[in-house]
Amino acid sequence: MRCFLMAAKLSDVAKLAGVSTATVSRVLNESGYVSKKVREKVMSAVDELEYRPSRVASYLASKKLDFDIGVLAGKKVSKILRDSSDQFYTIVFKGIQEFCETNNMNHRLFPVEEFPGDLDGYLLVGGEINEENVKKSKATGRPVVLVDQYLAGVKVDCIVSDGYDGAVYGIKKLLSGGLKRIVNIHGPLSHFGFKDRYDGYVVAMESAGYLPRSFEYDEDNDNMGAIIDLMLSRYGLPDAVFGCNDTAAIRAMEELKARNIKIPEDVSVMGFDDIVNATVASPALTTFKIFKREMGVAAARRLLNLLMNSEPHPMKISLFTEFVRRESTTV
């Protein structure tokens, strides 16, 4: 067998078989008449050169030049995406749009309750997506990718940020600065992102021999004032607060300052996501940057691969976060 340093091309197969590239294409695509003898010569050349046809080329040859994609989200995220008020999902969606527009993928936004069953593929966005939504999407036989959500045991493609790794890094950093009493304020743990960060917090605290203490924040009803009062009365003043996201962390800072508690002199506060408001908060918020645009691009790219039947085994793709130190922590 010959040894080739570069991947073989269609023209290499044609040259070795002594036929035209059009004939090789007809053999590989099983289109048009080709004699048995010629077919055998072509396939022998394919085997010898270890030629692997490009999935993209195959689809272009079949004249499937575009795909109709449904971007589905729960009520909360759908509203966010339609009025462009959010600093997280609107950026994720821009990444999806950017990739789709440059790769012949027509995309439309739908509330998950108005499921469209006649599209080529689906991107299901946000923590509201549940197992029933996935089952309904997969029942169409079309590819499905979750964005910023993971459902254990479902084995469906998903793109997420690595909140666990970020949380462990953040808690270790606080502990290394002598801050031992660290409270976590998290969102609903049905959302993979919040649960992932919560798990990282718990493991980092317990591994260091400290007791985790957490409170659940209801962003819709904004119960942060009650959380801070409960924390101060039952736990006392912590050394640091680790928020499930920047919104929770900023609200915690506001409520602490309203009670004459100084940030970071009395309490360090750390968030997660790195939204725009993190930079304009007072003090500016120490946080973890999630690569939101890249998450959207990665999700759309993964869906395109599935549409072309490339690497069909389900994947969980996790993007690392980046620590951003600002003024709200002493470390």
Side-chain angles (χ1 to χ4, degrees):
M1 181 176 289
R2 302 180 185 183
C3 178
F4 291 87
L5 297 178
M6 297 180 63
K9 298 180 291 187
L10 191 74
S11 58
D12 297 325
V13 176
K15 183 177 180 179
L16 184 60
V19 298
S20 68
T21 55
T23 298
V24 175
S25 181
R26 284 199 298 273
V27 171
L28 296 178
N29 293 315
E30 299 181 354
S31 60
Y33 172 75
V34 180
S35 69
K36 181 179 179 181
K37 183 178 180 180
V38 170
R39 185 179 299 278
E40 288 174 349
K41 286 172 64 179
V42 169
M43 294 311 298
S44 176
V46 166
D47 290 341
E48 184 172 346
L49 295 174
E50 297 183 355
Y51 173 70
R52 296 292 179 267
S54 163
R55 295 287 183 181
V56 174
S58 298
Y59 271 83
L60 290 175
S62 70
K63 307 230 186 301
K64 180 62 177 176
L65 298 178
D66 60 2
F67 295 101
D68 292 320
I69 304 304
V71 181
L72 279 63
K75 290 180 180 178
K76 183 177 179 180
V77 176
S78 292
K79 182 179 184 300
I80 285 169
L81 292 177
R82 290 189 188 283
D83 64 22
S84 300
S85 63
D86 185 68
Q87 298 176 31
F88 186 96
Y89 285 114
T90 52
I91 300 173
V92 172
F93 189 57
K94 284 177 182 176
I96 293 171
Q97 288 179 307
E98 180 182 307
F99 186 87
C100 288
E101 288 169 1
T102 56
N103 288 275
N104 299 312
M105 298 168 72
N106 306 310
H107 58 285
R108 289 178 286 167
L109 178 64
F110 298 91
V112 72
E113 296 81 9
E114 300 174 15
F115 179 80
D118 57 348
L119 302 179
D120 294 311
Y122 302 93
L123 295 173
L124 276 57
V125 183
E128 296 170 282
I129 298 300
N130 57 38
E131 191 169 337
E132 190 59 36
N133 301 144
V134 174
K135 286 181 179 179
K136 191 171 184 178
S137 302
K138 291 184 75 173
T140 65
R142 308 298 171 84
V144 177
V145 176
L146 304 187
V147 189
D148 194 39
Q149 177 67 314
Y150 161 75
L151 298 169
V154 178
K155 291 184 174 58
V156 63
D157 284 90
C158 61
I159 312 294
V160 295
S161 62
D162 198 332
Y164 182 94
D165 178 85
V168 169
Y169 182 94
I171 299 306
K172 284 184 175 180
K173 198 160 190 68
L174 293 171
L175 291 170
S176 69
L179 308 178
K180 313 300 184 185
R181 290 165 51 81
I182 305 170
V183 167
N184 173 232
I185 299 178
H186 61 78
L189 297 183
S190 57
H191 185 319
F192 169 73
F194 294 149
K195 180 67 164 59
D196 204 33
R197 298 165 203 176
Y198 169 79
D199 288 344
Y201 159 77
V202 170
V203 166
M205 289 290 285
E206 291 181 342
S207 296
Y210 297 103
L211 182 68
R213 187 63 186 267
S214 63
F215 299 88
E216 182 164 330
Y217 175 53
D218 181 352
E219 186 175 338
D220 292 333
N221 296 305
D222 191 13
N223 63 332
M224 188 59 72
I227 286 176
I228 298 301
D229 286 338
L230 184 64
M231 177 186 73
L232 293 174
S233 65
R234 294 190 179 180
Y235 184 77
L237 188 66
D239 296 327
V241 170
F242 174 57
C244 61
N245 62 12
D246 290 344
T247 300
I250 292 168
R251 283 291 297 118
M253 285 201 301
E254 291 171 347
E255 293 294 338
L256 288 166
K257 288 191 296 181
R259 291 157 179 76
N260 298 315
I261 297 169
K262 296 178 181 179
I263 312 296
E265 293 87 350
D266 298 329
V267 180
S268 286
V269 178
M270 182 181 288
F272 217 103
D273 287 350
D274 196 29
I275 61 175
V276 174
N277 284 349
T279 63
V280 299
S282 179
L285 182 66
T286 294
T287 186
F288 284 85
K289 178 179 177 63
I290 288 181
F291 292 86
K292 298 170 276 291
R293 173 193 157 277
E294 289 84 348
M295 184 184 292
V297 169
R301 180 183 291 116
R302 178 60 187 149
L303 185 61
L304 180 58
N305 287 341
L306 292 172
L307 286 164
M308 296 189 299
N309 197 32
S310 176
E311 302 173 339
H313 187 75
M315 299 181 183
K316 178 184 177 184
I317 300 173
S318 182
L319 283 67
F320 281 114
T321 60
E322 181 178 281
F323 178 67
V324 182
R325 184 186 174 185
R326 296 196 179 100
E327 301 164 359
S328 66
T329 57
T330 56
V331 295

